[in-house]
Amino acid sequence: MEDANDTTEINFILVGLFNHTQTHVFLFSVVLMTFLTSLVGNALMILLIHEVPQLHKPMYFLLSQLSLMDMMLVSTIVPKMAANYLMGTKSISPASCGAQIFLFVTLGGGECFILASMAYDRYVAICHPLRYPILMNQKLCLHMTAGSWILGGVDGLMQAGATLSFPYCHSREINHFFCEAPLLVRLACNDTMLFEFFMYVCCILMLLIPLSLILASYSLILAAVLHMKSTAARKKAFATCSSHLAVVGLFYGAIIFIYMRPKSYRSVAHDKVVSAFYTIFTPVLNPLIYSVRNKEVKGALRKWLEKHFLGRL
């Protein structure tokens, strides 16, 4: 007879996002194409920022970190979901489940702080342009990047470790398409109220502190832009900020909808759709937003294509 406290021998069951109807097969194909497009788009963004001297600036270095996190996020979730769907299985081992929780929380938390760092970068560039090389130097940029990864990693390690430490003696069916700590602890035998409160506090800190910094940065930017006498300068300032604000809106809007709503307003079906949006579709939108809205990125892409492809024709 199996020990009810044994979480290493029995796999969890992921219900998944799709069944095998024609509509869901089509939607699965869309998700797979989105996944591949996201990998290519973000890899191209990282390559451009590394290869083109014009983009060797703090803003674009932070953008390359955002692209790396997006690539890792979709790679953490979509391959396992696709493998289960194509092979007709739904199981995931406790180790793989823990890895998904760790990477998901690490990358989600890291993105929050990277977006806050990018907001600070725009604030310095617009409000203190003459002091930009001093206030946004390479050392500070590296420290902010390392801090984003470390803070996300610590949160991910705590959540994954604590979640897998609980005994699971009831249903092991997770009504989702990937392992997520809040859903997993609902299956635990023990009282998890204290841990759920701890997760909620971590969520508030990881979401609201960076969001507060972003809002403060853009409030100061807006005040500075409104005092600009030149219409051209205003347009340029708004253009440089609009891409970042669009990414912030997509990312935070989806995450706050999932994690900050009262339990009475939650629906598993809605949560799945919104989770799919910010884990699968948002990563493909980020490089598109920055390439369409940013003249420097568009110019760098044109030059890179001319040098490596059009120049050989």
Side-chain angles (χ1 to χ4, degrees):
M1 188 174 178
E2 288 175 316
D3 185 357
N5 292 333
D6 187 0
T7 60
T8 60
E9 295 297 325
I10 309 171
N11 290 344
F12 293 103
I13 304 298
L14 288 172
V15 172
L17 193 59
F18 304 115
N19 55 41
H20 290 274
T21 62
Q22 272 192 318
T23 304
H24 279 214
V25 169
F26 170 74
L27 291 173
F28 172 75
S29 303
V30 170
V31 166
L32 212 56
M33 287 302 298
T34 304
F35 166 67
L36 295 172
T37 305
S38 177
L39 289 183
V40 172
N42 283 293
L44 182 59
M45 184 66 76
I46 294 169
L47 180 66
L48 278 177
I49 291 166
H50 182 264
E51 292 286 326
V52 180
Q54 180 186 346
L55 301 181
H56 290 176
K57 299 175 183 178
M59 173 187 170
Y60 296 111
F61 176 75
L62 294 170
L63 178 56
S64 73
Q65 295 301 301
L66 183 67
S67 290
L68 178 60
M69 288 177 177
D70 281 339
M71 285 179 69
M72 290 177 67
L73 182 62
V74 291
S75 300
T76 297
I77 291 165
V78 177
K80 178 60 180 173
M81 182 189 75
N84 278 6
Y85 182 77
L86 293 171
M87 295 170 68
T89 61
K90 294 186 176 183
S91 67
I92 183 168
S93 68
S96 296
C97 203
Q100 275 198 340
I101 292 170
F102 168 70
L103 289 168
F104 174 73
V105 175
T106 297
L107 297 167
E111 283 201 26
C112 289
F113 286 101
I114 284 289
L115 289 170
S117 301
M118 292 172 78
Y120 172 75
D121 173 82
R122 291 300 82 208
Y123 159 71
V124 175
I126 292 169
C127 299
H128 304 283
L130 298 179
R131 298 174 65 198
Y132 182 81
I134 300 167
L135 295 175
M136 197 62 196
N137 56 60
Q138 187 179 18
K139 186 178 179 181
L140 177 62
C141 190
L142 290 172
H143 283 170
M144 288 195 298
T145 302
S148 298
W149 283 99
I150 291 168
L151 287 168
V154 169
D155 190 24
L157 195 61
M158 287 192 299
Q159 287 205 34
T163 302
L164 292 182
S165 70
F166 289 113
Y168 293 91
C169 53
H170 302 302
S171 169
R172 287 174 168 261
E173 186 176 275
I174 304 167
N175 194 2
H176 212 353
F177 59 95
F178 67 96
C179 284
E180 209 171 8
L183 291 174
L184 207 60
V185 295
R186 291 178 197 171
L187 307 177
C189 305
N190 291 358
D191 181 16
T192 60
M193 189 177 293
L194 184 63
F195 176 63
E196 288 186 62
F197 176 74
F198 162 75
M199 275 201 306
Y200 191 73
V201 170
C202 280
C203 186
I204 289 173
L205 293 175
M206 296 296 284
L207 286 176
L208 296 189
I209 290 177
L211 184 59
S212 300
L213 294 172
I214 290 167
L215 293 175
S217 295
Y218 276 102
S219 297
L220 294 169
I221 288 170
L222 182 62
V225 169
L226 292 175
H227 282 90
M228 289 178 180
K229 294 180 180 179
S230 168
T231 306
R234 282 187 190 180
K235 284 183 178 179
K236 186 179 179 181
F238 278 125
T240 57
C241 293
S242 60
S243 304
H244 185 241
L245 280 173
V247 170
V248 168
L250 288 170
F251 182 78
Y252 272 98
I255 285 189
I256 288 172
F257 180 84
I258 289 282
Y259 294 107
M260 304 300 287
R261 283 180 305 155
K263 284 186 178 179
S264 57
Y265 288 93
R266 291 184 181 177
S267 157
V268 173
H270 289 163
D271 284 357
K272 277 188 184 182
V273 172
V274 178
S275 292
F277 179 77
Y278 79 81
T279 57
I280 300 169
F281 293 100
T282 300
V284 79
L285 292 173
N286 291 349
L288 288 174
I289 289 168
Y290 277 102
S291 59
V292 170
R293 299 285 300 171
N294 191 299
K295 288 183 180 179
E296 281 187 313
V297 173
K298 283 194 287 187
L301 178 60
R302 195 180 303 113
K303 287 180 182 178
W304 187 81
L305 290 172
E306 287 173 355
K307 180 181 177 181
H308 290 87
F309 296 98
L310 299 178
R312 296 178 183 179
L313 297 177

